[in-house]
Amino acid sequence: MVGRRVFFAALVGVSLFGLAALMFAAMRRGGILPVEGVLLALFLVTLPWLVIGFWNAMIGLALMRFSRNPAASVNPLLRDEDPAAALTTSTAILVCLRNEEIDGVFRNVETMLEGMLLEGVCSHFHLYLLSDSSWQDIIEQEERLAVSLKARWGGDISVTYRRREDNHAFKSGNIRDFCERWGAAHDFALVLDADSYMDASAIRRLVRLMQRHETVGILQSLVVGLPTMSAFARIFQFGMRLGMRSYTLGSAWWQGDCGPYWGHNALIRLKPFIEHCHLPELSGRGPLSGPVLSHDQVEAVLMRRAGYEVRVIPEEGGSFEQNPPDLIEFIRRDLRWCHGNMQYLKLLGLKDLRPVSRMQLVLAILMFAGSPAWVAFMVLSAGLAIVYDDATRNFDPVLGGALFACVMTMVFAPKLATVADILATRARRKAFGGTWRILTSVVGEIVFSMLLAPVMAIAHTVFIAKLSLGRGGTWSAQRRGLHAVPYASAIRRLWPQTLFGVAGVVWFSSFVAPILVPALPVILGPLVAIPVARFTASLAWGHAARASGLWRIPEESAPTSDLLKLALPALPPAEALREPVAGYPKAPQAAE
């Protein structure tokens, strides 16, 4: 691992130095002015996340193409698996709830329990519905859900429902309360979000591996999106599937036993978690103080500090989540992460952390801190463009073009290389919809991601500015089901992006019209953010995308029987689905 980490650090360091040197050379044509020095510094802040992501993906792709067992090459737990090993431990399944749409929770839990019953492992598990809900109608639905589950499954698996009156520390406090009440009664805990689904074989695999390897404290599965009728989510998760496995393989190659924990669809060893992963209250006032909001990565570094391994299984299979159905919900989820990750500024000084663990906290901060640096870079560049009569006097267009090509290569090469890997195998081509659909979907996803990137960067920038002024966000319930996005809601949420886009068009067309077209990739996404939010949330657009076969994921092409039982609108109906539990309705099909 030391050799791998040194090699990876060298790749990243050389890349950062090369890009910085190229930028410096392009800018020094007329001498570096102080304001251009600021521009260079902003550019450097945006680079680490891009460069590390690029090399993670490229290493992962190399493993996918040239290793007989890519996952086992980065996770030694997978080298001596015994699929027939019996379960000998007790595992708590924690379904964490806060004002959630209960139909989806009911659907996922029911299907999961059915699979566990068929595999004959229910006696080794205990289901906990851990609620932090505060809305009375949702509380009543949760209570009916608990009664229904106990009535149907109580003879096979224990079911406990608990609701906290005070949701202090949000999800981490919810889980800590479980640990204090019932943690000592179980060996492991499987943490699930309200939108999580894991099939029985994936759950049993996590437990088998953790039973066999007592040094493992957290075992994270690779989570992918469920098939969806949302046009927005279809395009987004198609892009994620092109890069997620290679990225996770590459990061696991050098992170090793300091792996990620994403807060759900993961198994934790309860004894060390209870003893060593209690999160501190952050001192001071303001939005960065109080409970740690993005608890997952902090718990991972604390588990590693205690001497236990944190590992990821970088293979797709049986572990799912539901992606946000529209741009508004996607931004809201991202800003929750942004808020929590910026709190890590107060945690960088934690004692005795492993170097890789401390670097993970830094990268989690840079994931969002790079956005205001990017926005400031773009605004400052636009201002400098009108300082000179000749916009290229102080910037070498040849070196600038080379720099742009390098950055774009790092942005898109991992996805395009994964596409090449998919197209090289007939079975994978078929799973993703066939050659022409794959190529058309890739072009559409690239355009979509280019439009989305500046929209998200502006959202992060505005939010971080609010944090710096002492104003935080609210951690309200997420809307996971399909729904329309009214223009009024889109305008209220996306007016900063629209203002940025309009200002960009006016600025460039008025002062430096010749570079308006090159600037369009930056301006166009914010300019059309409102109609994009509206139309990609439309159920009609979702049906059209589904009917076209574009942005198809393998679970659509060949859904398992368990996925069919989920009765997802994006999948064909199963021939025989469960009957609704008495007193609780069957989950309805999504509606506009």
Side-chain angles (χ1 to χ4, degrees):
M1 289 308 305
V2 173
R4 291 184 182 187
R5 288 167 180 168
V6 170
F7 177 71
F8 187 81
L11 287 176
V12 172
V14 169
S15 301
L16 289 174
F17 178 81
L19 291 172
L22 192 56
M23 181 67 168
F24 180 80
M27 295 175 66
R28 66 177 299 192
R29 183 175 181 178
I32 301 291
L33 301 175
V35 68
E36 292 173 324
V38 174
L39 201 66
L40 179 60
L42 292 171
F43 176 72
L44 294 177
V45 174
T46 68
L47 287 182
W49 186 259
L50 170 68
V51 171
I52 289 174
F54 170 77
W55 285 117
N56 278 344
M58 298 312 294
I59 290 173
L61 284 167
L63 293 171
M64 289 165 61
R65 295 301 300 163
F66 302 114
S67 174
R68 291 185 177 180
N69 190 339
S73 68
V74 300
N75 187 340
L77 277 59
L78 308 180
R79 297 172 189 167
D80 58 353
E81 277 193 85
D82 181 5
L87 302 190
T88 59
T89 49
S90 173
T91 299
I93 300 175
L94 312 183
V95 180
C96 300
L97 307 170
R98 177 163 170 77
N99 299 327
E100 297 287 348
E101 299 166 0
I102 300 302
D103 290 322
V105 178
F106 174 78
R107 173 199 69 197
N108 292 357
V109 171
E110 278 272 279
T111 306
M112 180 178 65
L113 293 180
E114 285 182 8
M116 294 170 66
L117 182 65
L118 290 174
E119 293 210 3
V121 296
C122 282
S123 61
H124 296 280
F125 294 88
H126 186 136
L127 176 66
Y128 290 87
L129 303 172
L130 304 178
S131 171
D132 271 357
S133 296
S134 57
W135 299 348
Q136 188 57 41
D137 59 332
I138 296 295
I139 294 170
E140 292 172 0
Q141 291 180 54
E142 289 176 355
E143 291 171 348
R144 290 199 299 270
L145 169 64
V147 170
S148 297
L149 290 175
K150 288 179 181 179
R152 179 159 183 166
W153 301 100
D156 299 297
I157 184 170
S158 298
V159 178
T160 298
Y161 170 72
R162 185 273 289 133
R163 186 177 72 85
R164 290 196 303 166
E165 294 289 341
D166 173 19
N167 71 317
H168 177 72
F170 302 97
K171 182 180 172 184
S172 64
N174 196 356
I175 295 175
R176 176 55 53 174
D177 179 79
F178 157 80
C179 290
E180 293 172 352
R181 294 190 186 205
W182 300 290
H186 304 285
D187 301 292
F188 313 136
L190 179 70
V191 182
L192 300 176
D193 278 350
D195 64 330
S196 296
Y197 171 72
M198 293 188 69
D199 66 34
S201 60
I203 295 171
R204 191 158 59 91
R205 186 188 192 193
L206 291 179
V207 175
R208 283 199 324 264
L209 289 169
M210 192 166 276
Q211 281 182 175
R212 187 178 180 88
H213 300 275
E214 297 182 355
T215 60
V216 177
I218 298 177
L219 189 54
Q220 175 69 61
S221 66
L222 181 57
V223 191
V224 299
L226 283 166
T228 178
M229 289 299 296
S230 161
F232 177 89
R234 284 181 68 86
I235 303 172
F236 170 76
Q237 65 191 35
F238 175 82
M240 288 289 289
R241 288 299 282 270
L242 293 184
M244 188 64 179
R245 186 180 175 218
S246 61
Y247 181 94
T248 307
L249 276 167
S251 60
W253 182 82
W254 64 272
Q255 291 179 1
D257 51 15
C258 294
Y261 172 41
W262 299 321
H264 59 96
N265 295 45
L267 194 66
I268 60 177
R269 190 178 298 274
L270 278 170
K271 188 174 186 298
F273 184 85
I274 294 170
E275 293 176 356
H276 302 290
C277 297
H278 191 60
L279 300 179
E281 289 275 331
L282 300 179
S283 60
R285 295 181 179 181
L288 299 186
S289 60
V292 176
L293 302 176
S294 291
H295 60 95
D296 39 22
Q297 193 56 51
V298 182
E299 289 164 343
V301 303
L302 294 177
M303 182 69 81
R304 190 69 195 102
R305 184 176 71 174
Y308 288 85
E309 299 176 21
V310 179
R311 295 279 185 182
V312 63
I313 300 178
E315 289 180 328
E316 300 164 345
S319 181
F320 300 92
E321 67 178 344
Q322 186 176 347
N323 284 309
D326 61 80
L327 177 58
I328 304 300
E329 289 301 312
F330 184 79
I331 290 175
R332 201 143 66 90
R333 186 185 71 169
D334 230 43
L335 296 186
R336 288 160 61 104
W337 292 345
C338 177
H339 190 175
N341 284 21
M342 296 311 293
Q343 287 183 312
Y344 294 174
L345 289 165
K346 292 190 172 186
L347 296 170
L348 294 177
L350 284 174
K351 295 181 179 179
D352 302 322
L353 294 185
R354 304 293 177 101
V356 172
S357 296
R358 204 177 302 277
M359 178 56 65
Q360 287 169 325
L361 296 181
V362 172
L363 291 177
I365 295 169
L366 289 176
M367 177 181 180
F368 294 102
S371 290
W374 181 86
V375 171
F377 178 88
M378 291 299 166
V379 171
L380 189 57
S381 298
L384 286 176
I386 66 168
V387 171
Y388 310 106
D389 294 331
D390 179 3
T392 64
R393 187 181 74 84
N394 242 40
F395 193 82
D396 189 307
V398 175
L399 293 178
L403 179 64
F404 179 80
C406 288
V407 171
M408 289 298 100
T409 297
M410 288 192 164
V411 170
F412 293 114
K415 287 183 181 180
L416 295 179
T418 303
V419 171
D421 181 68
I422 292 171
L423 294 176
T425 307
R426 184 175 183 274
R428 299 198 73 194
R429 290 198 303 271
K430 183 178 179 181
F432 280 90
T435 300
W436 79 265
R437 284 193 177 93
I438 293 171
L439 294 176
T440 305
S441 297
V442 168
V443 172
E445 194 279 332
I446 288 175
V447 172
F448 176 79
S449 63
M450 291 179 68
L451 294 175
L452 186 62
V455 171
M456 298 307 298
I458 294 167
H460 299 158
T461 301
V462 172
F463 187 78
I464 290 174
K466 290 180 179 179
L467 289 179
S468 67
L469 296 174
R471 297 169 54 194
T474 58
W475 283 54
S476 55
Q478 292 180 240
R479 297 186 67 182
R480 305 186 192 275
L482 294 180
H483 58 272
V485 174
Y487 275 116
S489 176
I491 292 170
R492 186 172 62 253
R493 297 280 185 172
L494 297 170
W495 68 263
Q497 285 84 350
T498 304
L499 182 62
F500 181 94
V502 171
V505 170
V506 172
W507 182 274
F508 281 103
S509 59
S510 300
F511 297 107
V512 280
I515 60 173
L516 174 60
V517 173
L520 278 180
V522 175
I523 299 171
L524 188 58
L527 188 65
V528 301
I530 290 173
V532 165
R534 167 76 177 175
F535 295 134
T536 56
S538 165
L539 190 59
W541 279 52
H543 276 295
R546 171 70 176 82
S548 71
L550 296 177
W551 306 295
R552 181 180 294 177
I553 57 176
E555 288 75 21
E556 278 186 68
S557 299
T560 64
S561 59
D562 281 347
L563 282 181
L564 290 176
K565 289 178 182 178
L566 291 176
L568 300 172
L571 296 180
E575 293 182 0
L577 298 176
R578 76 177 74 83
E579 293 300 318
V581 176
Y584 193 83
K586 187 175 178 180
Q589 300 292 309
E592 178 75 37

